[in-house]
Amino acid sequence: MKRKLSLDDIAKHFKVSKSTVSKALNDSHEISARTKEKIIAYAREHKYRPNLNAINLRKEPSQSVGVIIPNILNYFFAQVISGVEKVLNDRGYNMIACISNESYKKEVAITEMLRKGAISGLLVSLAEETGRLDKIEHFQPFLNKGIPVVMFDRVSSKLHCDKVTIDDTKAAYNATEHLIKSGCKRIAVVSLLGDLEISRLRINGYHQCLQDHDIELDQSLIFEKLEKSFMEVEIRKLLSAGKVDAILGLEEEAGVTSLLTANSLGIKIPEELSVICFTNGILPKYVVPSLTSISQHGYYMGERAAKQLVNRIEQNDTGKAFETEVIKTTMIERESTLTLF
């Protein structure tokens, strides 16, 4: 397929700047009539088409906010986006929503695209690969230019900006304690979150709870870096060995897969195996048996992150200290765990 002609191509052909080409194509009085005629004729001859996305980004820069999420198929992030959109609409801002698909490379490309436009703020939840590589330098140019950044849910302590999170350590501690108090002693951890900071915090909470209840830590029960394609196989091996009486899923897919795999093996839930997972999306309510889950209140998190960002934009106070808002989680007890009395 033939590559589309760009402003750069036209500028190189006439040995002028991109700015001169852009002004000529927009019939600016700053460019001579002869030069305009030549550039316009060349553009028509080579079927030049402007980049509409870039044009839209340049329009009304004070009213555009970029939002980067790692996965649109995750119901939690769909809830977050809904909360963000509500606040931005109410405050008169447009939302440019982008999906990194858990890819560091794509996340970097998105930030480069947004920087070439003129957004007035950025909301971001990190891709899993970004967390694994521990690279967040692509967000710093926004802050250097005075463009506010607010991180939510998947954040990094290395980037100095406003943040909205849950207390991941405390939430995991409470979930583990819930399992222990219902009689579980051999509690496995299953996760697809890799090296994300929230994964480490949740595992820390699990460790601390076992220690406080005098239960010896068994590293062989921690599956913190599973790949999606092998998760079910690893869970099936774990359950078939009869080594565990409970599973803590650090995100929804890990919990749902654990429950469904147990069902396929004929394991009774919750009598023989209890299961809890993070995020309270659609699936935990409708799998059989229903799944106890930790609600992170995605819609509310989106609202709070958007409000933080808009307030930072409109106050335009670069000297104000950055804030981290911590949202309380709620455990939704369902059929996959024994009721505590």
Side-chain angles (χ1 to χ4, degrees), residues 54-277:
I55 289 172
N56 288 334
L57 283 173
R58 288 194 293 269
K59 288 181 180 178
E60 298 184 349
S62 62
Q63 301 301 314
S64 297
V65 167
V67 185
I68 306 175
I69 60 171
N71 185 352
I72 195 61
L73 297 178
N74 185 315
Y75 184 69
F76 169 73
F77 290 113
Q79 289 179 307
V80 171
I81 284 288
S82 295
V84 169
E85 186 176 37
K86 171 66 166 57
V87 171
L88 294 183
N89 283 341
D90 290 348
R91 301 285 287 267
Y93 287 79
N94 300 313
M95 179 175 71
I96 303 169
C98 307
I99 306 164
S100 67
N101 282 329
E102 306 289 7
S103 164
Y104 167 75
K105 185 176 180 181
K106 187 166 184 181
E107 191 176 85
V108 171
I110 289 169
T111 59
E112 289 176 352
M113 180 270 291
L114 292 174
R115 284 206 310 270
K116 289 176 182 177
I119 60 170
S120 53
L122 178 66
L123 291 165
V124 61
S125 187
L126 295 177
E128 186 278 326
E129 188 178 20
T130 303
R132 175 158 45 84
L133 296 173
D134 197 24
K135 292 184 176 181
I136 47 86
E137 67 284 346
H138 46 297
F139 298 111
Q140 192 59 47
F142 292 97
L143 297 171
N144 293 344
K145 290 173 62 178
I147 298 172
V149 176
V150 174
M151 304 186 87
F152 62 89
D153 186 48
R154 300 182 183 185
V155 305
S156 170
S157 56
K158 290 174 65 176
L159 192 70
H160 301 296
C161 65
D162 295 310
K163 297 173 179 117
V164 180
T165 69
I166 63 168
D167 188 335
D168 289 283
T169 301
K170 184 177 181 181
Y173 185 104
N174 291 343
T176 306
E177 188 169 57
H178 182 91
L179 293 168
I180 292 171
K181 287 183 176 179
S182 67
C184 301
K185 300 293 183 185
R186 300 281 295 170
I187 303 168
V189 173
V190 179
S191 173
L192 291 170
L193 295 176
D195 287 311
L196 283 167
E197 196 166 298
I198 60 171
S199 177
R200 294 192 290 273
L201 292 172
R202 291 173 188 179
I203 290 172
N204 287 344
Y206 161 82
H207 283 179
Q208 187 61 52
C209 187
L210 292 183
Q211 183 177 319
D212 290 349
H213 288 272
D214 297 317
I215 297 175
E216 185 177 353
L217 174 67
D218 184 348
Q219 289 288 351
S220 71
L221 299 183
I222 300 176
F223 298 81
E224 59 183 305
K225 297 178 183 178
L226 286 176
E227 292 184 22
K228 198 170 188 176
S229 55
F230 296 109
M231 180 169 63
E232 184 179 347
V233 172
E234 292 298 325
I235 292 172
R236 185 172 293 274
K237 279 196 238 176
L238 173 69
L239 295 177
S240 297
K243 293 178 63 179
V244 298
D245 54 17
I247 289 179
L248 172 60
L250 298 193
E251 25 63 42
E252 189 168 287
E253 189 169 355
V256 171
T257 303
S258 296
L259 186 142
L260 295 178
T261 303
N263 281 343
S264 72
L265 291 170
I267 296 171
K268 295 179 182 178
I269 299 173
E271 294 84 359
E272 297 175 331
L273 179 76
S274 293
V275 185
I276 294 179
C277 73

